[in-house]
Amino acid sequence: MDTFCTAVSLSNFGDETNLQIKQVPKPTQPEGTEVLVQVKSYALTDLDRQVREGRYSAFLGAQGAQVAGTPASLFSLGYGLSGLVVATGSEVTLFEVGQEVVGLSPLDSTKGGYSEFILLEQHFLVAKPSSVSFEEGAG
């Protein structure tokens, strides 16, 4: 099993030159009500831009300070996403492996959908209708 995945990470608040493609640790086996999603598409939203520019740094608290002060940070944006469930925690009741989902990454998280994989609590996901593409579901 690969231990790394590709993500677009934010190294510091500012313009798009602060976004970098990096190899980051792949999320581990989900626990409890967590769901591991292989991201198929993510949205480029105004919220992502505003967070990238530092407009929400006070709200982000420790995570915002970590991003602003740590060039090697693994902070990733991408609040709207869609993908495929690849693993579930033992207490997940809403999803199963192989299911297509859409979801939101919580604003106070340092891990967003601009990554090949994301670990989310099941309440941040919903089943993707089969009539909706991954691209439509993310946006």
Side-chain angles (χ1 to χ4, degrees), residues 2-3 6 9-12 18 21 29-30 47 50-51 60 63 79-80 86 91 93 97 99 106 116 123 129 131 138:
D2 293 332
T3 57
T6 303
S9 295
L10 180 64
S11 61
N12 207 341
N18 290 301
I21 297 174
Q29 177 64 33
L47 175 60
Q50 291 178 31
V51 170
L60 292 172
Q63 291 91 346
Y79 296 102
V86 294
E91 299 172 33
T93 58
V97 172
Q99 191 169 1
E116 290 181 289
H123 63 268
S131 61

PDB file of all heavy atoms in Angstrom, residues 2-3 6 9-12 18 21 29-30 47 50-51 60 63 79-80 86 91 93 97 99 106 116 123 129 131 138:
ATOM      1  N   ASP A   2       0.562   2.191  -0.879  1.00  0.00           N
ATOM      2  CA  ASP A   2       1.321   3.434  -0.935  1.00  0.00           C
ATOM      3  C   ASP A   2       1.130   4.228   0.346  1.00  0.00           C
ATOM      4  O   ASP A   2       0.025   4.305   0.881  1.00  0.00           O
ATOM      5  CB  ASP A   2       0.862   4.285  -2.122  1.00  0.00           C
ATOM      6  CG  ASP A   2       1.205   3.639  -3.456  1.00  0.00           C
ATOM      7  OD1 ASP A   2       2.197   2.890  -3.513  1.00  0.00           O
ATOM      8  OD2 ASP A   2       0.486   3.896  -4.428  1.00  0.00           O
ATOM      9  N   THR A   3       2.198   4.828   0.826  1.00  0.00           N
ATOM     10  CA  THR A   3       2.115   5.627   2.051  1.00  0.00           C
ATOM     11  C   THR A   3       2.019   7.111   1.758  1.00  0.00           C
ATOM     12  O   THR A   3       1.824   7.901   2.674  1.00  0.00           O
ATOM     13  CB  THR A   3       3.320   5.353   2.965  1.00  0.00           C
ATOM     14  OG1 THR A   3       4.516   5.634   2.248  1.00  0.00           O
ATOM     15  CG2 THR A   3       3.323   3.904   3.442  1.00  0.00           C
ATOM     16  N   THR A   6      -0.528  12.467  -3.801  1.00  0.00           N
ATOM     17  CA  THR A   6      -0.286  13.810  -4.308  1.00  0.00           C
ATOM     18  C   THR A   6      -1.369  14.750  -3.815  1.00  0.00           C
ATOM     19  O   THR A   6      -2.550  14.397  -3.798  1.00  0.00           O
ATOM     20  CB  THR A   6      -0.258  13.796  -5.847  1.00  0.00           C
ATOM     21  OG1 THR A   6       0.750  12.874  -6.265  1.00  0.00           O
ATOM     22  CG2 THR A   6       0.045  15.170  -6.412  1.00  0.00           C
ATOM     23  N   SER A   9      -0.809  21.696  -1.894  1.00  0.00           N
ATOM     24  CA  SER A   9      -0.684  22.214  -0.530  1.00  0.00           C
ATOM     25  C   SER A   9      -0.449  23.716  -0.539  1.00  0.00           C
ATOM     26  O   SER A   9       0.134  24.263  -1.471  1.00  0.00           O
ATOM     27  CB  SER A   9       0.481  21.529   0.186  1.00  0.00           C
ATOM     28  OG  SER A   9       0.225  20.164   0.344  1.00  0.00           O
ATOM     29  N   LEU A  10      -0.870  24.348   0.524  1.00  0.00           N
ATOM     30  CA  LEU A  10      -0.681  25.782   0.713  1.00  0.00           C
ATOM     31  C   LEU A  10       0.473  25.966   1.689  1.00  0.00           C
ATOM     32  O   LEU A  10       0.412  25.523   2.834  1.00  0.00           O
ATOM     33  CB  LEU A  10      -1.964  26.401   1.282  1.00  0.00           C
ATOM     34  CG  LEU A  10      -1.963  27.893   1.545  1.00  0.00           C
ATOM     35  CD1 LEU A  10      -1.789  28.666   0.233  1.00  0.00           C
ATOM     36  CD2 LEU A  10      -3.267  28.303   2.214  1.00  0.00           C
ATOM     37  N   SER A  11       1.540  26.614   1.230  1.00  0.00           N
ATOM     38  CA  SER A  11       2.720  26.787   2.072  1.00  0.00           C
ATOM     39  C   SER A  11       2.666  28.069   2.890  1.00  0.00           C
ATOM     40  O   SER A  11       3.341  28.180   3.908  1.00  0.00           O
ATOM     41  CB  SER A  11       3.986  26.774   1.217  1.00  0.00           C
ATOM     42  OG  SER A  11       3.958  27.835   0.287  1.00  0.00           O
ATOM     43  N   ASN A  12       1.884  29.039   2.444  1.00  0.00           N
ATOM     44  CA  ASN A  12       1.749  30.298   3.160  1.00  0.00           C
ATOM     45  C   ASN A  12       0.528  31.023   2.598  1.00  0.00           C
ATOM     46  O   ASN A  12       0.120  30.768   1.474  1.00  0.00           O
ATOM     47  CB  ASN A  12       3.007  31.168   2.987  1.00  0.00           C
ATOM     48  CG  ASN A  12       3.229  32.114   4.142  1.00  0.00           C
ATOM     49  OD1 ASN A  12       2.314  32.402   4.908  1.00  0.00           O
ATOM     50  ND2 ASN A  12       4.442  32.602   4.272  1.00  0.00           N
ATOM     51  N   ASN A  18       1.618  30.415  -3.816  1.00  0.00           N
ATOM     52  CA  ASN A  18       1.835  29.688  -2.569  1.00  0.00           C
ATOM     53  C   ASN A  18       1.262  28.273  -2.607  1.00  0.00           C
ATOM     54  O   ASN A  18       1.351  27.540  -1.624  1.00  0.00           O
ATOM     55  CB  ASN A  18       1.244  30.457  -1.391  1.00  0.00           C
ATOM     56  CG  ASN A  18       2.032  31.709  -1.104  1.00  0.00           C
ATOM     57  OD1 ASN A  18       3.218  31.647  -0.831  1.00  0.00           O
ATOM     58  ND2 ASN A  18       1.382  32.850  -1.195  1.00  0.00           N
ATOM     59  N   ILE A  21       2.408  21.506  -5.569  1.00  0.00           N
ATOM     60  CA  ILE A  21       2.076  20.090  -5.689  1.00  0.00           C
ATOM     61  C   ILE A  21       3.128  19.321  -4.901  1.00  0.00           C
ATOM     62  O   ILE A  21       4.324  19.479  -5.133  1.00  0.00           O
ATOM     63  CB  ILE A  21       2.041  19.644  -7.157  1.00  0.00           C
ATOM     64  CG1 ILE A  21       0.938  20.415  -7.895  1.00  0.00           C
ATOM     65  CG2 ILE A  21       1.831  18.139  -7.255  1.00  0.00           C
ATOM     66  CD1 ILE A  21       0.893  20.166  -9.384  1.00  0.00           C
ATOM     67  N   GLN A  29      -5.906   4.183   7.771  1.00  0.00           N
ATOM     68  CA  GLN A  29      -7.163   3.452   7.910  1.00  0.00           C
ATOM     69  C   GLN A  29      -8.136   4.260   8.755  1.00  0.00           C
ATOM     70  O   GLN A  29      -7.800   4.709   9.831  1.00  0.00           O
ATOM     71  CB  GLN A  29      -6.895   2.085   8.566  1.00  0.00           C
ATOM     72  CG  GLN A  29      -8.133   1.263   8.834  1.00  0.00           C
ATOM     73  CD  GLN A  29      -8.869   0.849   7.577  1.00  0.00           C
ATOM     74  OE1 GLN A  29      -8.260   0.612   6.548  1.00  0.00           O
ATOM     75  NE2 GLN A  29     -10.175   0.753   7.654  1.00  0.00           N
ATOM     76  N   PRO A  30      -9.364   4.466   8.267  1.00  0.00           N
ATOM     77  CA  PRO A  30     -10.351   5.220   9.041  1.00  0.00           C
ATOM     78  C   PRO A  30     -10.709   4.533  10.349  1.00  0.00           C
ATOM     79  O   PRO A  30     -10.682   3.304  10.446  1.00  0.00           O
ATOM     80  CB  PRO A  30     -11.571   5.286   8.125  1.00  0.00           C
ATOM     81  CG  PRO A  30     -11.227   4.584   6.878  1.00  0.00           C
ATOM     82  CD  PRO A  30      -9.881   3.988   7.004  1.00  0.00           C
ATOM     83  N   LEU A  47     -14.501  30.538  -1.599  1.00  0.00           N
ATOM     84  CA  LEU A  47     -14.074  30.270  -0.230  1.00  0.00           C
ATOM     85  C   LEU A  47     -12.623  29.789  -0.206  1.00  0.00           C
ATOM     86  O   LEU A  47     -11.822  30.243   0.616  1.00  0.00           O
ATOM     87  CB  LEU A  47     -14.986  29.227   0.423  1.00  0.00           C
ATOM     88  CG  LEU A  47     -14.579  28.774   1.823  1.00  0.00           C
ATOM     89  CD1 LEU A  47     -14.560  29.946   2.800  1.00  0.00           C
ATOM     90  CD2 LEU A  47     -15.514  27.684   2.312  1.00  0.00           C
ATOM     91  N   GLN A  50     -10.421  32.792  -0.732  1.00  0.00           N
ATOM     92  CA  GLN A  50     -10.365  33.659   0.444  1.00  0.00           C
ATOM     93  C   GLN A  50      -9.521  33.052   1.563  1.00  0.00           C
ATOM     94  O   GLN A  50      -8.752  33.759   2.218  1.00  0.00           O
ATOM     95  CB  GLN A  50     -11.772  33.980   0.931  1.00  0.00           C
ATOM     96  CG  GLN A  50     -12.525  34.884  -0.023  1.00  0.00           C
ATOM     97  CD  GLN A  50     -13.940  35.158   0.439  1.00  0.00           C
ATOM     98  OE1 GLN A  50     -14.208  35.188   1.634  1.00  0.00           O
ATOM     99  NE2 GLN A  50     -14.851  35.359  -0.500  1.00  0.00           N
ATOM    100  N   VAL A  51      -9.643  31.756   1.777  1.00  0.00           N
ATOM    101  CA  VAL A  51      -8.808  31.098   2.779  1.00  0.00           C
ATOM    102  C   VAL A  51      -7.347  31.167   2.354  1.00  0.00           C
ATOM    103  O   VAL A  51      -6.465  31.479   3.157  1.00  0.00           O
ATOM    104  CB  VAL A  51      -9.259  29.634   3.008  1.00  0.00           C
ATOM    105  CG1 VAL A  51      -8.247  28.885   3.872  1.00  0.00           C
ATOM    106  CG2 VAL A  51     -10.633  29.602   3.648  1.00  0.00           C
ATOM    107  N   LEU A  60      -9.377  29.973  11.481  1.00  0.00           N
ATOM    108  CA  LEU A  60      -8.667  28.705  11.419  1.00  0.00           C
ATOM    109  C   LEU A  60      -7.835  28.443  12.661  1.00  0.00           C
ATOM    110  O   LEU A  60      -7.422  27.326  12.902  1.00  0.00           O
ATOM    111  CB  LEU A  60      -7.774  28.656  10.177  1.00  0.00           C
ATOM    112  CG  LEU A  60      -8.510  28.611   8.848  1.00  0.00           C
ATOM    113  CD1 LEU A  60      -7.534  28.764   7.697  1.00  0.00           C
ATOM    114  CD2 LEU A  60      -9.292  27.326   8.694  1.00  0.00           C
ATOM    115  N   GLN A  63      -4.545  25.994  13.091  1.00  0.00           N
ATOM    116  CA  GLN A  63      -4.238  25.558  11.746  1.00  0.00           C
ATOM    117  C   GLN A  63      -3.779  26.727  10.895  1.00  0.00           C
ATOM    118  O   GLN A  63      -2.855  26.618  10.120  1.00  0.00           O
ATOM    119  CB  GLN A  63      -5.453  24.885  11.081  1.00  0.00           C
ATOM    120  CG  GLN A  63      -5.819  23.564  11.675  1.00  0.00           C
ATOM    121  CD  GLN A  63      -6.830  23.690  12.811  1.00  0.00           C
ATOM    122  OE1 GLN A  63      -7.079  24.766  13.340  1.00  0.00           O
ATOM    123  NE2 GLN A  63      -7.397  22.578  13.214  1.00  0.00           N
ATOM    124  N   TYR A  79     -12.781  22.626  -0.418  1.00  0.00           N
ATOM    125  CA  TYR A  79     -13.890  22.374   0.494  1.00  0.00           C
ATOM    126  C   TYR A  79     -15.022  21.579  -0.140  1.00  0.00           C
ATOM    127  O   TYR A  79     -15.724  20.869   0.547  1.00  0.00           O
ATOM    128  CB  TYR A  79     -14.367  23.696   1.104  1.00  0.00           C
ATOM    129  CG  TYR A  79     -13.267  24.293   1.940  1.00  0.00           C
ATOM    130  CD1 TYR A  79     -12.490  25.336   1.467  1.00  0.00           C
ATOM    131  CD2 TYR A  79     -12.929  23.736   3.168  1.00  0.00           C
ATOM    132  CE1 TYR A  79     -11.435  25.834   2.212  1.00  0.00           C
ATOM    133  CE2 TYR A  79     -11.879  24.217   3.921  1.00  0.00           C
ATOM    134  CZ  TYR A  79     -11.140  25.272   3.431  1.00  0.00           C
ATOM    135  OH  TYR A  79     -10.086  25.739   4.160  1.00  0.00           O
ATOM    136  N   GLY A  80     -15.198  21.661  -1.451  1.00  0.00           N
ATOM    137  CA  GLY A  80     -16.193  20.852  -2.142  1.00  0.00           C
ATOM    138  C   GLY A  80     -15.505  19.756  -2.924  1.00  0.00           C
ATOM    139  O   GLY A  80     -14.540  20.007  -3.646  1.00  0.00           O
ATOM    140  N   VAL A  86     -13.188   4.307  -0.273  1.00  0.00           N
ATOM    141  CA  VAL A  86     -12.236   3.199  -0.388  1.00  0.00           C
ATOM    142  C   VAL A  86     -12.055   2.454   0.932  1.00  0.00           C
ATOM    143  O   VAL A  86     -11.523   1.338   0.937  1.00  0.00           O
ATOM    144  CB  VAL A  86     -10.872   3.665  -0.946  1.00  0.00           C
ATOM    145  CG1 VAL A  86     -11.028   4.129  -2.383  1.00  0.00           C
ATOM    146  CG2 VAL A  86     -10.257   4.750  -0.101  1.00  0.00           C
ATOM    147  N   GLU A  91     -17.563   2.103  12.764  1.00  0.00           N
ATOM    148  CA  GLU A  91     -18.859   2.627  13.190  1.00  0.00           C
ATOM    149  C   GLU A  91     -19.620   3.353  12.078  1.00  0.00           C
ATOM    150  O   GLU A  91     -20.664   3.951  12.327  1.00  0.00           O
ATOM    151  CB  GLU A  91     -18.664   3.564  14.383  1.00  0.00           C
ATOM    152  CG  GLU A  91     -18.060   2.873  15.594  1.00  0.00           C
ATOM    153  CD  GLU A  91     -17.683   3.854  16.692  1.00  0.00           C
ATOM    154  OE1 GLU A  91     -18.364   4.878  16.845  1.00  0.00           O
ATOM    155  OE2 GLU A  91     -16.686   3.583  17.383  1.00  0.00           O
ATOM    156  N   THR A  93     -22.151   3.873   9.297  1.00  0.00           N
ATOM    157  CA  THR A  93     -23.426   3.227   8.985  1.00  0.00           C
ATOM    158  C   THR A  93     -24.041   3.746   7.684  1.00  0.00           C
ATOM    159  O   THR A  93     -24.984   3.158   7.178  1.00  0.00           O
ATOM    160  CB  THR A  93     -24.439   3.470  10.126  1.00  0.00           C
ATOM    161  OG1 THR A  93     -24.603   4.882  10.301  1.00  0.00           O
ATOM    162  CG2 THR A  93     -23.957   2.845  11.425  1.00  0.00           C
ATOM    163  N   VAL A  97     -17.758   0.638   1.064  1.00  0.00           N
ATOM    164  CA  VAL A  97     -16.660   0.693   0.101  1.00  0.00           C
ATOM    165  C   VAL A  97     -17.219   0.566  -1.311  1.00  0.00           C
ATOM    166  O   VAL A  97     -18.096  -0.260  -1.575  1.00  0.00           O
ATOM    167  CB  VAL A  97     -15.625  -0.414   0.399  1.00  0.00           C
ATOM    168  CG1 VAL A  97     -14.574  -0.488  -0.710  1.00  0.00           C
ATOM    169  CG2 VAL A  97     -14.967  -0.170   1.746  1.00  0.00           C
ATOM    170  N   GLN A  99     -18.851   3.008  -2.867  1.00  0.00           N
ATOM    171  CA  GLN A  99     -19.942   3.968  -3.054  1.00  0.00           C
ATOM    172  C   GLN A  99     -19.403   5.321  -3.513  1.00  0.00           C
ATOM    173  O   GLN A  99     -18.368   5.784  -3.040  1.00  0.00           O
ATOM    174  CB  GLN A  99     -20.718   4.128  -1.754  1.00  0.00           C
ATOM    175  CG  GLN A  99     -22.006   4.894  -1.900  1.00  0.00           C
ATOM    176  CD  GLN A  99     -22.866   4.788  -0.640  1.00  0.00           C
ATOM    177  OE1 GLN A  99     -22.506   4.158   0.347  1.00  0.00           O
ATOM    178  NE2 GLN A  99     -24.022   5.425  -0.692  1.00  0.00           N
ATOM    179  N   PRO A 106     -14.424  20.159   6.286  1.00  0.00           N
ATOM    180  CA  PRO A 106     -14.703  21.206   7.277  1.00  0.00           C
ATOM    181  C   PRO A 106     -13.708  22.361   7.165  1.00  0.00           C
ATOM    182  O   PRO A 106     -12.525  22.149   6.890  1.00  0.00           O
ATOM    183  CB  PRO A 106     -14.579  20.493   8.618  1.00  0.00           C
ATOM    184  CG  PRO A 106     -13.921  19.196   8.341  1.00  0.00           C
ATOM    185  CD  PRO A 106     -14.072  18.890   6.888  1.00  0.00           C
ATOM    186  N   GLU A 116      -5.383  13.468  -3.502  1.00  0.00           N
ATOM    187  CA  GLU A 116      -5.882  12.207  -4.059  1.00  0.00           C
ATOM    188  C   GLU A 116      -6.795  11.472  -3.091  1.00  0.00           C
ATOM    189  O   GLU A 116      -7.690  10.741  -3.514  1.00  0.00           O
ATOM    190  CB  GLU A 116      -4.711  11.295  -4.418  1.00  0.00           C
ATOM    191  CG  GLU A 116      -3.911  11.766  -5.609  1.00  0.00           C
ATOM    192  CD  GLU A 116      -2.792  10.811  -5.920  1.00  0.00           C
ATOM    193  OE1 GLU A 116      -1.824  10.751  -5.137  1.00  0.00           O
ATOM    194  OE2 GLU A 116      -2.895  10.115  -6.961  1.00  0.00           O
ATOM    195  N   HIS A 123     -20.600  12.359   8.443  1.00  0.00           N
ATOM    196  CA  HIS A 123     -21.639  13.393   8.344  1.00  0.00           C
ATOM    197  C   HIS A 123     -21.249  14.536   7.398  1.00  0.00           C
ATOM    198  O   HIS A 123     -22.069  15.399   7.126  1.00  0.00           O
ATOM    199  CB  HIS A 123     -22.040  13.922   9.727  1.00  0.00           C
ATOM    200  CG  HIS A 123     -20.938  14.602  10.476  1.00  0.00           C
ATOM    201  ND1 HIS A 123     -20.124  13.918  11.346  1.00  0.00           N
ATOM    202  CD2 HIS A 123     -20.526  15.881  10.486  1.00  0.00           C
ATOM    203  CE1 HIS A 123     -19.244  14.749  11.862  1.00  0.00           C
ATOM    204  NE2 HIS A 123     -19.469  15.953  11.350  1.00  0.00           N
ATOM    205  N   PRO A 129     -25.773  11.043  -6.487  1.00  0.00           N
ATOM    206  CA  PRO A 129     -26.744  10.446  -7.402  1.00  0.00           C
ATOM    207  C   PRO A 129     -26.047   9.961  -8.667  1.00  0.00           C
ATOM    208  O   PRO A 129     -25.114  10.596  -9.160  1.00  0.00           O
ATOM    209  CB  PRO A 129     -27.711  11.597  -7.727  1.00  0.00           C
ATOM    210  CG  PRO A 129     -27.521  12.585  -6.620  1.00  0.00           C
ATOM    211  CD  PRO A 129     -26.091  12.448  -6.188  1.00  0.00           C
ATOM    212  N   SER A 131     -27.027  10.102 -11.601  1.00  0.00           N
ATOM    213  CA  SER A 131     -27.254  11.027 -12.703  1.00  0.00           C
ATOM    214  C   SER A 131     -26.337  12.249 -12.656  1.00  0.00           C
ATOM    215  O   SER A 131     -26.347  13.089 -13.551  1.00  0.00           O
ATOM    216  CB  SER A 131     -28.715  11.498 -12.705  1.00  0.00           C
ATOM    217  OG  SER A 131     -29.003  12.182 -11.490  1.00  0.00           O
ATOM    218  N   ALA A 138     -18.887  17.795  -7.194  1.00  0.00           N
ATOM    219  CA  ALA A 138     -17.900  18.556  -6.428  1.00  0.00           C
ATOM    220  C   ALA A 138     -18.241  20.029  -6.366  1.00  0.00           C
ATOM    221  O   ALA A 138     -17.891  20.714  -5.411  1.00  0.00           O
ATOM    222  CB  ALA A 138     -16.511  18.382  -7.038  1.00  0.00           C
TER     223      ALA A 138
END
